[in-house]
Amino acid sequence: MTNIDQAALDGLTQRATEAAQNSYSPYSHFRVGAALRLSNGEIVTGTNVENVSYGLTICAERSALVRAVSQFGPEVRVEAIAVVNLNNAASPPCGACRQMLAEFVLPDAPVTFPAGGGARTMTFSELMPLAFEMKLK
Ligand code: THU
């Protein structure tokens, strides 16, 4: 893992919790927040934004990611991630978010998320061992 200590992860979790307060989730009532620590030292947060056409919903993790790239450009890299929800439920990042994050997250980045009975922290590469890549010959 990168040299992100537990205090830094706790701070990131706090930022994710604040972001979750802004969740727009009238359909699922599942309020998610994500916070990304970037290699430039910035922290960017996101929340889930649902839509009546349910499939258009964007998760908190992808909200944060598109915000980070929009604000800081395509060279931005993510060195730690915190995900929370306000529903007291387990919520590791979904598969779609893992694939999107894979493009920008350092393999050793710690990812902390609610698991049954408390937070769990794993590296991004443990969470997403075989992301799709396109290597044209
Ligand atoms: N959701 C997230 O924000 N992140 C995830 O990784 C999984 C699910 C949101 C999408 C939807 O608004 C609600 O949680 C229920 O699926």
Side-chain angles (χ1 to χ4, degrees):
M1 277 196 213
T2 48
N3 60 340
I4 312 269
D5 61 14
Q6 189 56 48
L9 282 181
D10 290 347
L12 210 53
T13 298
Q14 180 55 36
R15 294 291 304 274
T17 304
E18 287 161 19
Q21 315 289 333
N22 288 334
S23 171
Y24 177 71
S25 43
Y27 307 106
S28 74
H29 305 286
F30 198 64
R31 302 168 75 197
V32 188
L36 311 179
R37 183 165 129 173
L38 307 179
S39 42
N40 63 8
E42 300 279 350
I43 292 175
V44 173
T45 62
T47 191
N48 54 327
V49 180
E50 299 188 343
N51 188 268
V52 64
S53 178
Y54 296 170
L56 299 181
T57 291
I58 183 165
C59 295
E61 297 89 327
R62 278 177 291 149
S63 290
L65 183 69
V66 295
R67 200 173 168 200
V69 177
S70 301
Q71 252 183 291
F72 297 109
E75 306 304 326
V76 80
R77 290 295 172 270
V78 177
E79 55 179 39
I81 302 175
V83 179
V84 305
N85 66 73
L86 304 185
N87 298 67
N88 235 344
S91 65
C94 80
C97 289
R98 293 181 203 197
Q99 181 66 45
M100 280 284 290
L101 288 162
E103 206 106 355
F104 295 96
V105 181
L106 302 174
D108 278 354
V111 184
T112 186
F113 55 89
R120 179 167 179 190
T121 304
M122 318 171 59
T123 65
F124 186 75
S125 60
E126 286 170 332
L127 201 60
M128 186 56 166
L130 210 56
F132 173 71
E133 293 177 76
M134 194 165 55
K135 288 193 177 133
L136 296 178
K137 290 200 172 153

